[in-house]
Amino acid sequence: MTTDPHYDVAALTLEEKASLVTGRDVWRTAEVERLGIGSVMVTDGPHGLRKQEASPDELGLGASVPATCFPTAAALGSSWDDELVRRVGVALGDETRANDVAVLLGPGINIKRSPLCGRNFEYVSEDPLVSGRIGAALVQGIQSRGVGTSLKHYAANNQETDRMRVSAEVDERTLREIYLAGFEHVVRTAQPWTIMCSYNRVNGVRVSENPWLLTQVLRDEWGYEGLVMSDWGAVWDLPAAVDAGLDLEMPGTGGRTAADVVAAVRSGRLDEAALDRAAARVLALVERVQPALADPGTADLEAHHALAREAAAAGAVLLSNDEVEGAPLLPLDRAARIAVIGELARSPRYQGAGSSQVNPTRLDDLLGALEAELGAPVPFAPGFTVAGVPVEQADDAALRAEAVEVATEADVVVLFLGLPAPEESEGFDRTTLELPANQVATLDAVAAANPHVVVVLANGGAVTMPWRQHAPALLETWLGGQAAGSAIADVLLGLREPGGRLTETVPLRLEDTPAFGNFPGEARTVRYGEGVLVGYRWYDTRDLAVAFPFGHGLGYTTFGYGPLTAAVRGTGAETTIRAEVTVTNTGARRGKEVVQLYVADPESAVVRPVHELKDYATVVLEPGESTAVVFELPARALSYWHPELSRWVVEGGAFVLEAGASSRDVRARTEIEVVGEQLWGELTAESRVGEWRAHPVGAPLLADAMASAPELDETMQAMVDEMPARVIAALGLAGFDLDGLDELVARARRG
Ligand code: BGC
């Protein structure tokens, strides 16, 4: 990659190389003055630039320069619109570049393992396909502007509780299929300039010192070419980290850890070649960003605000829109008497707290935006107090009484509920999925006075909704960024449709959630006991009722699905599938549909989720218009990670493809027959009789060797099938002894 001799690692002394693999300070890489190698700045991320000029700190305490606060990942990801997300990436890249920053620290694509994770607003989905696609689109958009990204937090950082020490105990199949798959997709398709390793341990090994994650999987298998930096303070032993594959410790340590690296090389503990490799990657990053730094350009903040507004509407999920007296409540009738209730309508909750907190260039609120659009004042009552928001009246009962009065005078009430900021943040997890009781009490009272209630929600992670029968229309807006207020007004008035679909299941109860009982762990350990059954994979496989399923979301029109057809090409690892379904806009207005394709493998040697999302397409159609949606699936879409063979395998047999509008709204399905791979592992004395009997080479050999053994009835055979070959030999059930077994194993090995 190096073209300029400036950036040749061979020109550096040992001390200079060591100084490069740790930061200069909180946000900058080290310079090498002697060679004219400058320092570059990296900064949060992900949904807006948080560039601190004075008093840098990583906790978000110091002020940062104004920047567009785009919708958080929870909201942006809910658009399922790769193209829109790419455009947001371009805008983020422009702001990064215009501020002389080399790398924007994002996107974050950790899986939402539990809705309690305090940082879920910063993550995309409970599903790795959606996380990977949205993550890749952001990376491509940002990097198209000549600045870098940092895909984070690699890996298995799915909670905030004890995140800096906890060991995530996860089996390899679950890691590969759920927790690494999104990262793999982004690396393979978008090559982020940098990746940020997480604080936690995985199966006992600190990620910053984990050669399996940082080198074997990331580079040797996925072909990653960029730089790996640490999360802020995630390095405990820099020489060990460099040895494992880390390239840059952040932030810097004032020279302390650079000295450790020099000493480690001198003592032979660290191979200098490993240091050369890491230092060369830092040089490559610094070199790569030079054109952007030389020509920062300007960012069009007006246009970015408009894009933030478009994106917030595209990510707003209309969960229900029931008919009340013969008509759905949304879009609102402009001629109706509309009232707004809820402090959050004038004091918006639009982003989360912690390192991602942006200082917005502007801030829209729903009440102001509705009034501007309607050209008249809208009756308003705050309705309840919100922790962290100062109010003139702190008596909830009085606020509720006032809200009921306002509701009584209206034809329709927009009631804005949500999680108070202190309840969700980076750094700690939530303890409940419920909305604050004072808000629910106001909803109950308002709905009793006026059943025409549109509930709007602002929250970073899913909330339970036992009150949802009081909300005939329910709009989940997540944390929608600085333009969320005007975007919600657009959606309520029908100027834009609600474009979002759930990227996470809304459960009925915390007790139903997949990680319940295994989250957040104890004694520095969290066991991922639910395995691959994460999110809808759990709810659907266990057939649990949910409040709203993964993939769900309504628009202002309706869609019909034709039959799903599919053609299989190739066999085994070379299998590909082409599936096609025609989708028609059957309603009266232009609208968007997110066509989801799920794959089910009804019979498998391993526990497989009842179905898994393997592709999606976002289409926009005029009334009456139809389009053929084509999906090209690679073999990977059928595969599972074989725990013993340690590779992806395609098992032969029937698969079912499903096209639908959510994981629970399958509109068309078809069955295909796939010719699988030879999955026979090596037979040993420890292999079970059942495995011998299913093996094309082993079965006849065993049958032959057991010819003199007594006949087994069905029950006995089932018992014996479960026994290792050595045990049946030792118990005298085989008709051969241990020497005979050695002979049998040797013959099986010869084939
Ligand atoms: C967060 C990262 C962030 C970094 C720098 C850490 O605490 O986990 O996401 O990029 O701080 O602010």
Side-chain angles (χ1 to χ4, degrees):
M1 199 180 294
T2 303
T3 48
D4 185 328
H6 252 75
Y7 299 101
D8 186 353
V9 77
L12 300 175
T13 64
L14 172 62
E15 286 74 11
E16 286 166 345
K17 287 186 281 194
S19 75
L20 276 179
V21 299
T22 172
R24 184 183 88 178
D25 52 37
V26 175
W27 302 120
R28 306 193 69 103
T29 62
E31 62 261 276
V32 183
E33 251 179 72
R34 179 179 73 87
L35 298 172
I37 294 167
S39 149
V40 299
M41 186 173 200
V42 302
T43 238
D44 289 302
H47 56 268
L49 190 75
R50 184 174 68 104
K51 182 184 179 189
Q52 293 181 312
E53 293 202 295
S55 71
D57 70 86
E58 65 269 30
L59 293 180
L61 306 174
S64 53
V65 300
T68 308
C69 179
F70 286 97
T72 60
L76 191 59
S78 298
S79 71
W80 297 60
D81 186 339
D82 303 5
E83 203 33 59
L84 169 69
V85 173
R86 201 166 284 122
R87 281 197 283 134
V88 169
V90 169
L92 286 165
D94 275 341
E95 292 194 29
T96 304
R97 182 173 180 146
N99 281 281
D100 303 315
V101 171
V103 173
L104 186 70
L105 300 175
I109 61 159
N110 295 92
I111 292 291
K112 301 185 196 215
R113 175 174 175 245
S114 167
L116 289 177
C117 174
R119 213 174 177 181
N120 274 359
F121 67 87
E122 241 187 284
Y123 301 142
V124 177
S125 178
E126 66 190 20
D127 177 83
L129 180 98
V130 183
S131 302
R133 288 262 294 263
I134 298 295
L138 269 171
V139 168
Q140 284 159 352
I142 295 169
Q143 294 189 170
S144 73
R145 306 306 298 139
V147 292
T149 54
S150 198
L151 185 68
K152 65 191 190 183
H153 309 86
Y154 180 71
N157 174 188
N158 309 98
Q159 65 188 58
E160 293 300 283
T161 305
D162 210 12
R163 68 170 160 151
M164 296 179 180
R165 303 183 310 178
V166 77
S167 177
E169 302 290 317
V170 205
D171 64 88
E172 185 176 355
R173 183 177 158 221
T174 299
L175 274 173
R176 298 280 191 168
E177 293 186 19
I178 305 292
Y179 296 99
L180 298 183
F183 287 94
E184 178 180 2
H185 178 80
V186 181
V187 167
R188 286 190 193 273
T189 60
Q191 283 288 349
W193 289 13
T194 84
I195 286 181
M196 187 187 294
C197 83
S198 57
Y199 290 109
N200 53 289
R201 294 172 163 85
V202 173
N203 295 325
V205 184
R206 203 171 268 131
V207 176
S208 62
E209 296 167 21
N210 194 319
W212 182 72
L213 280 168
L214 299 188
T215 299
Q216 190 179 320
V217 171
L218 184 60
R219 297 193 185 274
D220 301 346
E221 294 183 27
W222 300 348
Y224 181 56
E225 292 163 3
L227 166 148
V228 178
M229 71 173 78
S230 71
D231 200 343
W232 267 232
V235 172
W236 294 68
D237 179 343
L238 186 54
V242 170
D243 192 42
L246 186 96
D247 305 306
L248 175 62
E249 172 193 44
M250 288 303 287
T253 57
R256 155 81 191 252
T257 48
D260 292 347
V261 169
V262 170
V265 170
R266 293 228 164 96
S267 72
R269 186 183 158 220
L270 176 65
D271 185 351
E272 192 162 356
L275 175 61
D276 287 353
R277 183 214 60 217
R281 293 207 188 105
V282 177
L283 292 181
L285 175 70
V286 175
E287 182 182 12
R288 202 170 191 180
V289 76
Q290 291 309 313
L293 293 179
D295 176 18
T298 50
D300 184 345
L301 298 179
E302 274 304 307
H304 291 182
H305 186 76
L307 178 59
R309 183 169 176 169
E310 178 188 349
V317 188
L318 183 58
L319 294 173
S320 55
N321 191 15
D322 297 345
E323 291 195 357
V324 181
E325 288 155 25
L329 285 183
L330 293 179
L332 294 174
D333 174 2
R334 279 171 177 259
R337 292 175 303 159
I338 301 167
V340 172
I341 294 171
E343 182 60 45
L344 296 163
R346 66 173 177 186
S347 308
R349 177 98 209 290
Y350 62 100
Q351 64 172 333
S355 63
S356 67
Q357 200 164 319
V358 174
N359 177 13
T361 59
R362 285 164 55 176
L363 184 55
D364 296 347
D365 63 88
L366 173 61
L367 184 60
L370 269 180
E371 290 183 331
E373 192 53 49
L374 294 170
V378 172
F380 170 76
F384 45 81
T385 56
V386 179
V389 179
V391 279
E392 305 110 52
Q393 167 62 277
D395 176 358
D396 269 299
L399 288 168
R400 198 170 305 134
E402 182 200 0
V404 167
E405 248 174 65
V406 170
T408 313
E409 296 298 307
D411 297 321
V412 58
V413 178
V414 174
L415 176 54
F416 204 139
L417 308 177
L419 286 179
E423 281 198 32
E424 53 181 355
S425 166
E426 174 180 342
F428 56 89
D429 292 316
R430 294 159 68 197
T431 53
T432 168
L433 296 182
E434 287 166 28
L435 280 182
N438 63 340
Q439 297 190 22
V440 177
T442 296
L443 168 60
D444 290 346
V446 164
N450 185 342
H452 296 184
V453 180
V454 176
V455 167
V456 178
L457 283 171
N459 43 287
V463 295
T464 46
M465 305 171 176
W467 38 260
R468 67 191 186 289
Q469 77 279 6
H470 292 324
L474 178 51
L475 182 69
E476 172 62 83
T477 69
W478 305 112
L479 300 179
Q482 68 180 46
S486 49
I488 296 166
D490 292 343
V491 168
L492 295 179
L493 294 172
L495 300 170
R496 284 200 159 103
E497 67 170 340
R501 305 292 183 268
L502 290 177
T503 58
E504 61 185 297
T505 310
V506 180
L508 285 176
R509 314 179 309 152
L510 176 61
E511 291 80 356
D512 293 340
T513 60
F516 186 76
N518 277 321
F519 180 98
E522 59 231 345
R524 301 189 189 191
T525 300
V526 52
R527 252 176 15 92
Y528 285 37
E530 67 285 0
V532 297
L533 299 182
V534 177
Y536 67 89
R537 289 169 166 79
W538 167 267
Y539 301 105
D540 292 356
T541 304
R542 298 180 71 100
D543 198 17
L544 289 172
V546 298
F548 294 102
F550 175 84
H552 170 74
L554 307 170
Y556 288 151
T557 184
T558 50
F559 290 87
Y561 286 61
L564 178 64
T565 58
V568 182
R569 279 187 300 257
T571 63
E574 307 304 319
T575 311
T576 57
I577 292 159
R578 183 178 193 280
E580 187 173 328
V581 63
T582 296
V583 176
T584 306
N585 182 344
T586 51
R589 64 178 271 174
R590 177 188 159 87
K592 157 180 165 182
E593 179 74 341
V594 179
V595 185
Q596 301 157 40
L597 190 78
Y598 295 85
V599 174
D601 183 5
E603 263 187 53
S604 172
V606 296
V607 174
R608 297 200 74 172
V610 67
H611 60 181
E612 300 183 86
L613 183 78
K614 292 300 173 184
D615 205 350
Y616 63 85
T618 302
V619 297
V620 176
L621 298 176
E622 298 294 335
E625 195 188 353
S626 291
T627 191
V629 179
V630 175
F631 299 103
E632 298 280 357
L633 299 182
R636 177 71 177 269
L638 307 171
S639 309
Y640 66 84
W641 180 264
H642 196 292
E644 284 180 308
L645 299 177
S646 286
R647 61 176 178 86
W648 296 101
V649 300
V650 176
E651 212 177 5
F655 284 79
V656 178
L657 305 184
E658 305 168 339
S662 85
S663 86
R664 300 247 169 132
D665 184 9
V666 170
R667 305 285 186 85
R669 49 162 53 84
T670 188
E671 194 174 304
I672 53 170
E673 212 34 56
V674 171
V675 179
E677 295 173 59
Q678 293 288 329
L679 293 181
W680 323 119
E682 197 183 1
L683 288 171
T684 67
E686 214 187 326
S687 303
R688 286 177 295 118
V689 171
E691 289 164 344
W692 278 87
R693 296 205 313 130
H695 195 286
V697 175
L701 291 176
L702 183 75
D704 203 30
M706 288 185 77
S708 64
E711 273 291 293
L712 300 176
D713 66 18
E714 208 181 315
T715 312
M716 278 300 286
Q717 184 67 59
M719 283 175 67
V720 167
D721 276 348
E722 287 300 311
M723 295 180 173
R726 190 180 193 283
V727 176
I728 60 157
L731 296 185
L733 295 171
F736 52 81
D737 59 11
L738 293 179
D739 289 341
L741 176 63
D742 289 345
E743 171 61 13
L744 185 65
V745 170
R747 283 173 61 198
R749 208 161 279 168
R750 287 196 297 270

